[in-house]
Amino acid sequence: MPAAMKLRLVCCFPAALAAMVSALAADSASLLVSTRMPAPEWAKLERRLLAEQVPACREFYEKYFDARGYLQCFVRWGANDGPDDAFENFNGWPELHALGADDEIKQLFLRGHEGLLKQYTEARTTETPIAREGMYYQEFIVQSDWMHHGEGLQLFNRMGLSLGARDATYAVRARRFAGFYMGEDPEAPNYDEKLTLVRSMQNGSRGPLLRPATALDWVGDSFDVGRFVAQHGESTYAQFLAHYAEYTDVAGDHFLNLVATTLPLDAFLITGEPKYRKWIVDYLDAWLERMRRNGGVIPSYVDYRDGRIGGPENRWWGSAYGWGFSPLNPVTGRRENRNRIPRAMVGFQNAHLLTGDRRYPDAWRAMMDAVNSHARLVDGKKQFPTMCGADGWYGWQPQPWNVGALELWYMTLRADDAARVADNGWLAYLNGQDDRFPAAALRRDLAAVGRKTAAFRADRTTPEQRLADNMLSWNPASVGALTQLMEGALVPGREGGLLFARLRYFDPERRRAGIPRDVGALVSEMTDTRTVVTLVNTSENDARTVIVQGGAYGEHRIETVEYAGKTQRVAGRTLAVTLQPAAGAKLALTMKRYAEPPTIALPWERK
């Protein structure tokens, strides 16, 4: 490592450690911190939260999974309680390991992932046509919509944070799954390259559904609902069918399919191959053009036969989960507004991660303004729409439509975009308005771990009495506060997207993702070009070295680091910081966002 790239304070690195760090990341500057810092409360709480979730997750796993990794439940096909819900029982586990939790959590979710792939490949329907030869094919669900695809793929999409780019099984799967949506698999003709569209809202490893969907397609085979607690309130199989009676319009492209861009992005992060980047950009740009032609609003129905927005009748608001989707809930007897616009944001985030191009957040902002331009006055007060159908805009509310506002702000970090976000404790903290937020948020998540653990311990159901989604609310993984505070990141949602973070951490001693033992991190300030993070070593006896990376995937370049009145050039993706026992520092990093091609490779895997 060039001497100019190192900032040495007080003393030199131990020789062996210095050699190791140099070998790990040739583009890393190095920093030694020996200033004593009593461990702050937030650092102690972070370490507790990382530690206490692992035994809770182990106990959850041992209760609900067998030695093969099979979920112990009544296995069904269906949108309510089907394969996607089974995989969701691991929500938050990959993020937890990537933050720094014990390697045991990684072993558990990998074992469970393999088990579930086998379990749902073996599982078959008798009445529902698409899954009679298996609910999974080629290790991917045979057909579903991208609300449920995204939910079921949270585990797969985020396990790469820990696996890196050299896990052969993960790489093969990522390529195969991307191929289902890029016209590379003749058994899955989901994509029309000429029209730049995904041909149906219902798609998967056995291709698209190009006819009207039936309630049976959505619900799955008949069963005795009375044996179970259905999470959506149904008490009979007839109510299950009635729930999906209006979910018929599925053929044609739909904004939900924008979540599918995560699969080529997974493959790009591993391989760096330009074809994956090109497909994502081409597909997003086709949607931007549709928005432009539709008054700035993203349509929910694009005809798969000719690419026409809204088809011959200009029903741009059509399709299940579209702008005009307000089906009858058979349990309550009321119509419910169920458009799924927030899911589309994943595609905009993915394209922005790859390119840093502001056209993508700009288009979303323009859509927010376009929707709000249809506000009406009632008794002198403005009402704003949330839905649109054959009779125009509806679903009125007193506040402006701000779907995706937090994600929009995170992409741009503009003050006017922050103003669109409703009350948010994390943003208030970053703006210097609430110093109590870190400790309070961490204590809240600690309490959640205990509460959820107590809940699943009290569960007395047998596997024959459980559906795949019955345990979801008891999953003890609670990573929200850690994600925001340690990484300056958006908390990954159920939509199935990736991690969008200002910083990530790696342990060079154990050669793994995640912050080293005893170390705490707190991101307290973020602007477009500046990040302030405090690192502290809570150990009184052992030095720790942490590799700090710009961005979840190394997409942000760290230009300089300022510490103790000195500024040092970094000009790379990573900075190696060694913390002496009981030492800590507040570091101010200047950064150039989206300056590097994103990669899932761990620092020591990069050339």
Side-chain angles (χ1 to χ4, degrees):
M1 185 182 299
M5 299 274 296
K6 299 180 180 179
L7 178 59
R8 299 178 181 270
L9 301 172
V10 182
C11 65
C12 297
F13 282 120
L17 186 58
M20 177 177 63
V21 172
S22 295
L24 288 177
D27 63 347
S28 287
S30 58
L31 175 69
L32 178 66
V33 173
S34 59
T35 307
R36 287 190 64 83
M37 175 184 288
E41 182 185 14
W42 57 261
K44 296 176 183 177
L45 289 168
E46 284 180 356
R47 297 312 313 177
R48 275 189 60 195
L49 195 48
L50 286 170
E52 292 182 15
Q53 290 184 74
V54 176
C57 289
R58 180 198 314 126
E59 189 176 344
F60 179 90
Y61 183 94
E62 290 172 348
K63 180 161 187 168
Y64 295 118
F65 291 82
D66 67 13
R68 301 168 297 173
Y70 283 31
L71 182 63
Q72 298 303 285
C73 72
F74 180 64
V75 175
R76 295 195 68 254
W77 172 266
N80 272 15
D81 53 357
D84 65 296
D85 296 301
F87 287 81
E88 282 194 87
N89 283 288
F90 291 105
N91 286 354
W93 293 33
E95 298 95 300
L96 180 59
H97 181 266
L99 283 161
D102 191 86
D103 279 331
E104 181 182 10
I105 200 74
K106 175 183 171 184
Q107 296 161 5
L108 290 173
F109 72 65
L110 289 176
R111 189 188 313 157
H113 185 253
E114 295 303 312
L116 289 173
L117 289 177
K118 293 177 182 177
Q119 184 178 17
Y120 281 87
T121 298
E122 295 166 357
R124 285 163 166 73
T125 59
T126 56
E127 301 168 47
T128 311
I130 190 62
R132 286 174 182 163
E133 296 181 32
M135 298 180 188
Y136 268 54
Y137 176 62
Q138 296 197 79
E139 301 179 313
F140 197 89
I141 193 168
V142 290
Q143 198 173 81
S144 189
D145 63 280
W146 267 98
M147 185 175 85
H148 294 93
H149 278 320
E151 291 174 357
L153 284 164
Q154 292 173 80
L155 173 59
F156 177 79
N157 288 336
R158 297 167 195 160
M159 66 172 61
L161 294 167
S162 293
L163 295 179
R166 293 183 181 174
D167 186 286
T169 300
Y170 187 69
V172 167
R173 286 172 177 161
R175 286 177 174 273
R176 183 193 311 134
F177 297 170
F180 295 151
Y181 293 89
M182 295 175 62
E184 296 179 353
D185 188 328
E187 292 186 276
N190 295 303
Y191 188 62
D192 186 320
E193 184 176 9
K194 291 182 180 178
L195 297 176
T196 320
L197 57 79
V198 176
R199 301 169 68 207
S200 175
M201 190 186 78
Q202 288 276 355
N203 48 68
S205 59
R206 291 198 183 276
L209 182 62
L210 299 177
R211 59 166 171 80
T214 67
L216 182 64
D217 292 324
W218 286 95
V219 172
D221 293 358
S222 56
F223 71 113
D224 180 5
V225 179
R227 294 168 46 198
F228 306 94
V229 177
Q231 296 298 303
H232 297 270
E234 297 91 341
S235 58
T236 66
Y237 180 69
Q239 281 188 336
F240 266 74
L241 292 173
H243 182 106
Y244 288 95
E246 299 179 52
Y247 284 61
T248 55
D249 294 336
V250 299
D253 208 351
H254 192 291
F255 57 66
L256 276 178
N257 289 329
L258 285 164
V259 186
T261 58
T262 306
L263 297 179
L265 183 52
D266 286 335
F268 178 84
L269 293 172
I270 294 167
T271 68
E273 292 183 21
K275 68 175 182 178
Y276 298 115
R277 183 185 189 279
K278 182 179 185 301
W279 187 91
I280 293 169
V281 170
D282 287 350
Y283 188 52
L284 260 293
D285 286 356
W287 275 101
L288 293 193
E289 174 59 19
R290 292 168 190 150
M291 293 172 72
R292 186 192 67 78
R293 287 159 40 202
N294 198 50
V297 178
I298 194 167
S300 51
Y301 172 54
V302 179
D303 197 314
Y304 76 92
R305 292 161 294 196
D306 57 13
R308 192 186 314 182
I309 297 170
E313 299 175 353
N314 193 31
R315 297 175 68 255
W316 64 265
W317 39 264
S319 293
Y321 293 133
W323 277 101
F325 191 58
S326 300
L328 184 71
N329 183 331
V331 176
T332 65
R334 295 190 297 269
R335 290 199 172 273
E336 297 178 354
N337 296 336
R338 293 187 194 154
N339 77 45
R340 293 294 182 260
I341 308 298
R343 309 276 173 148
M345 174 57 87
V346 172
F348 290 75
Q349 291 174 294
N350 289 343
H352 189 246
L353 173 69
L354 279 171
T355 66
D357 194 325
R358 290 292 177 93
R359 290 185 303 124
Y360 303 110
D362 288 349
W364 194 275
R365 185 189 307 104
M367 177 167 62
M368 297 173 77
D369 292 340
V371 172
N372 288 321
S373 72
H374 295 280
R376 67 182 186 181
L377 276 177
V378 177
D379 296 329
K381 296 181 180 179
K382 268 191 174 183
Q383 293 182 344
F384 300 88
T386 62
M387 306 285 293
C388 189
D391 297 325
W393 292 92
Y394 66 103
W396 304 97
Q397 63 182 18
Q399 65 275 8
W401 190 79
N402 70 340
V403 167
L406 183 64
E407 293 82 359
L408 172 64
W409 164 80
Y410 198 83
M411 285 189 278
T412 68
L413 292 173
R414 286 174 30 170
D416 59 332
D417 288 334
R420 297 173 184 266
V421 182
D423 291 343
N424 186 290
W426 178 45
L427 263 63
Y429 165 68
L430 291 175
N431 290 331
Q433 298 168 355
D434 186 2
D435 291 340
R436 297 171 298 177
F437 176 79
L442 292 163
R443 281 195 295 266
R444 179 197 62 216
D445 279 7
L446 274 168
V449 175
R451 184 174 63 252
K452 293 175 181 180
T453 301
F456 75 69
R457 284 175 178 170
D459 175 25
R460 298 291 182 263
T461 60
T462 65
E464 294 76 20
Q465 296 172 309
R466 300 182 201 126
L467 298 173
D469 61 349
N470 283 162
M471 301 78 73
L472 294 184
S473 63
W474 303 332
N475 170 9
S478 300
V479 298
L482 291 171
T483 300
Q484 290 178 330
L485 297 171
M486 293 177 67
E487 300 176 323
L490 293 174
V491 181
R494 293 183 62 193
E495 296 83 3
L498 301 180
L499 175 67
F500 297 95
R502 179 57 67 94
L503 300 176
R504 272 190 72 206
Y505 309 98
F506 300 88
D507 184 341
E509 181 181 355
R510 294 185 292 168
R511 295 177 71 85
R512 54 153 290 179
I515 205 155
R517 290 167 291 189
D518 304 314
V519 178
L522 180 64
V523 175
S524 56
E525 181 185 333
M526 292 194 308
T527 69
D528 186 34
T529 59
R530 174 179 164 91
T531 306
V532 176
V533 60
T534 301
L535 299 175
V536 61
N537 181 4
T538 65
S539 172
E540 294 283 346
N541 303 308
D542 300 306
R544 300 293 185 209
T545 295
V546 54
I547 294 179
V548 180
Q549 175 178 277
Y553 307 100
E555 69 272 18
H556 304 326
R557 183 187 304 141
I558 304 173
E559 300 286 10
T560 66
V561 55
E562 179 184 341
Y563 167 59
K566 297 182 180 179
T567 299
Q568 176 67 33
R569 183 171 180 267
V570 179
R573 299 176 190 258
T574 55
L575 168 69
V577 180
T578 294
L579 300 159
Q580 295 285 37
K586 178 176 283 191
L587 309 179
L589 310 174
T590 61
M591 305 181 75
K592 185 174 182 181
R593 297 195 301 146
Y594 308 106
E596 304 287 349
T599 176
I600 203 70
L602 306 176
W604 41 91
E605 295 177 342
R606 301 171 192 158
K607 295 181 180 179

